[in-house]
Amino acid sequence: MKALLIARREIAGYLRTLSGYIIVAVILAVNGLFFNAFALGKAAERSATVLSNFFYYSSGFTIVASVFISMRLLAEERQAGTLPLLYSSPVRDRDIVLGKYLAGLAFLAVYLLCTLYMPLLVMVHGKVSVGHIVAGYAGLLLLGSASLAVGTFGSALAKNQLMAAIITACMLVALILCWLLARITEQPLSSVFSALSLWNQHFPPFQAGLVHLRDVAYYLLLTYVALFAATRVLEARRWR
């Protein structure tokens, strides 16, 4: 319940400032341009391929949106000097982290909802299955939730929002590039790096309209680990 109250407060903060609207508007505009140029522009391709291309490009924009949405979650409190007020309130650290994360996830979900017109255009002008759209958006939400959780951890580590964005971007790039390490290492390290890869190993099935339990489990586990780490960072700072 306390986490939900914090989430409501954080969402209200997003709605009161222009930064959230600007982030969503800019990323939506660029995503729409990519969709028009690289997806709809390929009229000769099958509708399923166009839809797959849409999810391919949207996955990158979802990660970028997660970085910018998460950078203010905890770093802003520290930058503004209001973090001690949260510490002095009768709220546990895990409630603070969870509440802020849920607020960011709700804002990310709004962004994804605003992109829905693009696959609907594909459906109007071609033949695609609803299941493909549902699976693709499930993948985007899972990818976004994991990226947002990593961003929450980065925001807990940083002193300001800029540093939070940089730290988060570095961690996400490292996770994405794990597939390169998988290609140049031998077993069993190759399998480990491949399993850790944020995008290359786990998102393509969603992009193709398939849902595998192992990929769902990976994104949920990464989300849990990142939020757990963010909670530990807050606990360590509380007792300094």
Side-chain angles (χ1 to χ4, degrees), residues 30-41 50 54 118-119 121-122:
V30 178
N31 196 357
L33 290 173
F34 269 73
F35 173 70
N36 185 64
F38 299 106
L40 284 183
V50 174
F54 162 73
M118 291 184 251
L121 283 175
V122 179

Side-chain angles (χ1 to χ4, degrees), residues 150-189:
V150 172
T152 305
F153 175 48
S155 188
L157 291 171
K159 293 182 178 180
N160 55 63
Q161 295 183 56
L162 177 60
M163 284 303 301
I166 293 173
I167 292 171
T168 300
C170 289
M171 289 191 290
L172 290 175
V173 168
L175 286 171
I176 292 171
L177 294 181
C178 278
W179 71 274
L180 283 176
L181 293 175
R183 293 182 62 182
I184 62 176
T185 55
E186 297 180 354
Q187 295 290 355
L189 286 178

Side-chain angles (χ1 to χ4, degrees), residues 17 36 62 84 86 93 98 106 116 145 147 150 225:
T17 61
N36 185 64
T62 299
L86 282 178
D93 294 317
L98 184 59
L116 190 58
S145 68
S147 301
V150 172
V225 170

Side-chain angles (χ1 to χ4, degrees), residues 38-60:
F38 299 106
L40 284 183
K42 300 178 179 179
E45 293 187 348
R46 295 182 300 110
S47 297
T49 304
V50 174
L51 189 60
S52 180
N53 289 336
F54 162 73
F55 287 124
Y56 173 80
Y57 294 116
S58 293
S59 64

Side-chain angles (χ1 to χ4, degrees), residues 1-233:
M1 182 61 70
K2 291 180 180 179
L4 292 178
L5 291 175
I6 293 175
R8 287 178 60 185
R9 168 181 170 270
E10 193 68 22
I11 291 173
Y14 276 117
L15 298 177
R16 282 196 304 266
T17 61
L18 286 176
S19 60
Y21 295 102
I22 293 173
I23 290 170
V24 171
V26 170
I27 297 176
L28 270 176
V30 178
N31 196 357
L33 290 173
F34 269 73
F35 173 70
N36 185 64
F38 299 106
L40 284 183
K42 300 178 179 179
E45 293 187 348
R46 295 182 300 110
S47 297
T49 304
V50 174
L51 189 60
S52 180
N53 289 336
F54 162 73
F55 287 124
Y56 173 80
Y57 294 116
S58 293
S59 64
F61 291 113
T62 299
I63 293 173
V64 172
S66 298
V67 172
F68 286 110
I69 291 172
S70 64
M71 69 181 185
R72 72 184 295 272
L73 293 180
L74 292 165
E76 184 184 47
E77 299 279 3
R78 192 176 179 192
Q79 187 176 353
T82 55
L83 197 56
L85 295 177
L86 282 178
Y87 285 151
S88 62
S89 63
V91 181
R92 292 175 295 185
D93 294 317
R94 68 180 183 184
D95 291 327
I96 296 173
V97 171
L98 184 59
K100 287 182 170 291
Y101 168 76
L102 289 176
L105 187 60
F107 206 72
L108 182 66
V110 170
Y111 158 74
L112 291 177
L113 187 63
C114 290
T115 67
L116 190 58
Y117 76 94
M118 291 184 251
L120 290 181
L121 283 175
V122 179
M123 179 178 285
V124 169
H125 295 286
K127 294 182 179 180
V128 294
S129 68
V130 176
H132 192 170
I133 295 176
V134 172
Y137 270 97
L140 289 178
L141 188 60
L142 286 167
L143 174 65
S145 68
S147 301
L148 194 69
V150 172
T152 305
F153 175 48
S155 188
L157 291 171
K159 293 182 178 180
N160 55 63
Q161 295 183 56
L162 177 60
M163 284 303 301
I166 293 173
I167 292 171
T168 300
C170 289
M171 289 191 290
L172 290 175
V173 168
L175 286 171
I176 292 171
L177 294 181
C178 278
W179 71 274
L180 283 176
L181 293 175
R183 293 182 62 182
I184 62 176
T185 55
E186 297 180 354
Q187 295 290 355
L189 286 178
S190 178
S191 296
V192 172
F193 285 126
S194 180
L196 289 174
S197 177
L198 180 69
W199 190 93
N200 190 268
Q201 179 69 17
H202 299 285
F203 188 78
F206 292 106
Q207 180 184 331
L210 304 173
V211 178
H212 294 158
L213 184 59
R214 66 175 183 273
D215 301 320
V216 175
Y218 166 79
Y219 287 124
L220 292 179
L221 181 60
L222 178 58
T223 299
Y224 173 80
V225 170
L227 293 179
F228 179 82
T231 303
R232 290 294 173 265
V233 170

